[in-house]
Amino acid sequence: MAVFQDPLIGHRHLSKDDVEWLHALVGDWQLLSDLAFSDVVLWFPHTEEGFLSPEERSFIALAQARPSTTQTLIHRDVVGDRIRADLKPMVERAWTSQVETNSSDQGQPSPARMRVQAIPLIHRGRTVGVITLHFAVAAMRSPSRLELTYRRCAEDLLVMVAEGRWPDASQEFTGYGGAPRVGDGLLRLDTEGRITFASPNAVSALLRLGVSDTLEGRSLAGIGSELQRATGVAVDESQPMMLTGRRAMRAELEAHGAAVTLRSIPLYRASRSGAGASSAGTAAAPVPPTSSRGAREARGGERFAALVLCRDVTELRRRDKQLMSKDATIKEIHHRVKNNLQTVSALLRMQSRRMDSQEGREGLRRAMRRVETIAMVHDSLSKGLEETVDVDELMRRQLHLAAEMAQSDRQVITALEGSFGQLPPEMVTPLALVITEIVANAVEHGFGPDPARRELHVSMSVQRHSDAAGRQRLELELTDDGVGLPEHEWEPGLGLQVVRTLVRGELSGSIEWETASDPASEAGAVAEPGTETARTGTRVKLRAPILAASMKTGG
């Protein structure tokens, strides 16, 4: 189904209710196309002036639908096209006179294989559109009972559409995904809720629930009650209203491991005084909204039947349960990994307290910091499990905690500028470890030998860039205002060796250390220890491509 909405946006002759009703109709009119065995096209004046004035008025196609119950007659997408000359008189008469028009009524020979019907859409007394139905001329054969019933249901719905009665957004939301379609199964109910027709697929769907007897003549609400008693499953109190066709709604029946979703559509006919079609050119007064359960009757009409669409969703529900189970399992695994990592961190902390060597205690403390970083990332990932993760808050906390764990007796002020945005989960853990090591290194060595230095600023700036091919790249700068890099050649310690390994191996990126250009700048990252007392600061630049998981695993 294609839709062209621009002419409706901000249209001065359409109210908000008019636009919403047209959108609701287009969102649900696949049902009409399937029941009528026809292509359906929505026509609308091509200019705002043409909405009221017939002079030089033409029409454009706003939407179209092709039937799934028969072959289409309109193979080309006509949305946005001007109306053909042979169709314009029909659509113009339907728009102006608010009467249904057939191609044979115009004295024009119809194509040998097609018949066209134009129906005005009258909403609150005004014509707001015209739909055309394009039928194939049937060969010389007797139509089946199923085909006759489908067409009868289409005619009943089209009457309600022409009067602006269907779809009714106040009764149900239309156009939702996964809705039952005509081909999935159709029941027609009388005013008492008894089944007068059941399509073969509807019979099969209810058979999955254990309803093996003949359906026609039985009460659908009675069938629902029997299933409820057999399974003991509590149902919504409003479900009987749906099963008797008194209320437009959706529900689901479950029994014997099977599930069938139902959608009911009450059918109303206009009372003699409730003419939805006013005389040509006359706008009826708007009908005030009502919240009573007799809203439709208040608008002039009586319920005479109902349609119930059925769809066997047993396999869909089974897969949903499997996905929910797998999702819960993955979350539980993440939770246990986080707890195990925290246990390892606690064991390292206990061991460090028993170490006599200062160097040994420092090594265990650094290992504990790395383990806690991984545990924090696992905790964040376990709450989402999406394909990408919004890591801004995680990295902001990580930046602050890394500074706190590296220095407890002096103040470290951290700041984050820019946004990481959405990153693949497999990129988050190595990135967090890299930031932790760089910040810890900056804090441990940035104060220098001066005991009077009580404050250090560490800032992190992040940007995302895209190249001409649309490939995204992450650029990260960590800057501090500490003593800076040593003037002589220096060898990175274990922490920075880990950083280089993670950047090149896990992130497929590059990293470099340099002296900050502005000694007074407040920024953030770090390098190897410096012995100089001059505070030049250090800047670390990290660049890494943002790759999807499939690209990384694919080589």
Side-chain angles (χ1 to χ4, degrees), residues 12 29 34 73 106 118 123 126 136 162 179 201 212 223 245 354 369 375 381 392 420 429 438 474 493:
R12 56 177 173 155
W29 73 349
D34 292 343
L73 297 179
Q106 299 299 303
H123 190 243
R126 296 191 311 157
N201 284 345
S212 56
I223 292 175
R354 289 166 172 77
R369 182 177 64 221
L381 293 179
D392 285 342
F420 288 88
T429 298
I438 294 177
L474 187 70

Side-chain angles (χ1 to χ4, degrees), residues 409-410 447-455 533 535:
D409 58 341
R410 288 188 275 192
F447 284 100
D450 184 5
R453 175 77 174 186
R454 310 300 300 174
E455 185 177 281
T533 57
R535 317 204 71 79

Side-chain angles (χ1 to χ4, degrees), residues 4 45 79 152 232 374 392 430 491 546:
F4 182 60
V79 174
R152 178 186 175 192
I374 298 174
D392 285 342
E491 289 293 329
I546 302 175

Side-chain angles (χ1 to χ4, degrees), residues 277-288:
S278 60
S279 58
T282 303
V287 179

Side-chain angles (χ1 to χ4, degrees), residues 27-193:
D28 212 20
W29 73 349
Q30 185 64 50
L31 175 64
L32 281 175
S33 179
D34 292 343
L35 288 174
F37 299 94
S38 69
D39 293 82
V40 185
V41 182
L42 171 63
W43 300 98
F44 193 78
H46 73 297
T47 62
E48 290 191 352
E49 292 74 16
F51 188 91
L52 299 177
S53 173
E55 297 179 3
E56 300 183 359
R57 175 160 58 201
S58 183
F59 297 88
I60 58 173
L62 294 189
Q64 75 178 96
R66 297 184 176 94
S68 60
T69 50
T70 187
Q71 64 180 5
T72 181
L73 297 179
I74 305 178
H75 297 276
R76 190 177 63 85
D77 189 351
V78 299
V79 174
D81 289 356
R82 286 280 190 100
I83 194 169
R84 300 197 320 258
D86 59 325
L87 291 180
K88 183 178 178 182
M90 294 177 53
V91 174
E92 177 65 36
R93 181 169 183 264
W95 177 276
T96 305
S97 303
Q98 295 186 335
V99 295
E100 177 183 320
T101 306
N102 292 301
S103 54
S104 58
D105 297 338
Q106 299 299 303
Q108 301 174 359
S110 299
R113 51 188 293 270
M114 183 188 299
R115 181 169 60 88
V116 182
Q117 181 180 6
I119 299 176
L121 302 179
I122 304 171
H123 190 243
R124 299 187 182 275
R126 296 191 311 157
T127 306
V128 295
V130 175
I131 61 173
T132 55
L133 289 84
H134 303 255
F135 303 91
V137 177
M140 296 300 294
R141 63 175 180 82
S142 298
S144 65
R145 180 168 178 248
L146 181 143
E147 183 177 346
L148 291 173
T149 304
Y150 278 16
R151 293 189 185 278
R152 178 186 175 192
C153 294
E155 292 172 1
D156 294 334
L157 273 180
L158 284 170
V159 171
M160 295 172 60
V161 169
E163 296 173 350
R165 294 172 174 270
W166 185 85
D168 188 350
S170 66
Q171 296 291 317
E172 62 171 346
F173 174 74
T174 60
Y176 75 109
R181 301 180 71 170
V182 171
D184 296 323
L186 175 70
L187 301 172
R188 185 178 175 103
L189 310 181
D190 62 14
T191 54
E192 301 300 323

Side-chain angles (χ1 to χ4, degrees), residues 139-306:
M140 296 300 294
R141 63 175 180 82
S142 298
S144 65
R145 180 168 178 248
L146 181 143
E147 183 177 346
L148 291 173
T149 304
Y150 278 16
R151 293 189 185 278
R152 178 186 175 192
C153 294
E155 292 172 1
D156 294 334
L157 273 180
L158 284 170
V159 171
M160 295 172 60
V161 169
E163 296 173 350
R165 294 172 174 270
W166 185 85
D168 188 350
S170 66
Q171 296 291 317
E172 62 171 346
F173 174 74
T174 60
Y176 75 109
R181 301 180 71 170
V182 171
D184 296 323
L186 175 70
L187 301 172
R188 185 178 175 103
L189 310 181
D190 62 14
T191 54
E192 301 300 323
R194 289 187 296 268
I195 301 172
T196 59
F197 172 82
S199 71
N201 284 345
V203 174
S204 298
L206 294 181
L207 183 62
R208 294 288 299 272
L209 297 176
V211 183
S212 56
D213 296 336
T214 303
L215 294 180
E216 296 186 12
R218 298 181 61 185
S219 168
L220 184 59
I223 292 175
S225 299
E226 292 175 6
L227 294 176
Q228 180 183 359
R229 288 193 298 268
T231 60
V233 177
V235 298
D236 189 346
E237 293 181 356
S238 62
Q239 191 179 93
M241 296 290 291
M242 186 274 290
L243 295 179
T244 54
R246 289 180 168 82
R247 182 174 179 181
M249 62 176 290
R250 296 169 178 84
E252 196 163 289
L253 298 179
E254 295 185 17
H256 308 293
V260 174
T261 183
L262 305 175
R263 177 194 176 187
S264 65
I265 304 173
L267 299 178
Y268 292 83
R269 63 164 61 97
S271 61
R272 294 182 179 179
S273 59
S278 60
S279 58
T282 303
V287 179
T290 175
S291 59
S292 66
R293 66 183 182 91
R296 286 192 181 276
E297 285 79 357
R299 294 167 62 181
E302 59 178 344
R303 183 177 57 85
F304 65 93

Side-chain angles (χ1 to χ4, degrees), residues 361-370 437 444-445:
R361 285 199 299 270
E362 183 65 21
L364 290 175
R365 186 173 64 85
R366 291 178 179 176
M368 178 185 66
R369 182 177 64 221
R370 294 164 187 152
E437 292 296 333
E444 290 173 359
H445 305 293

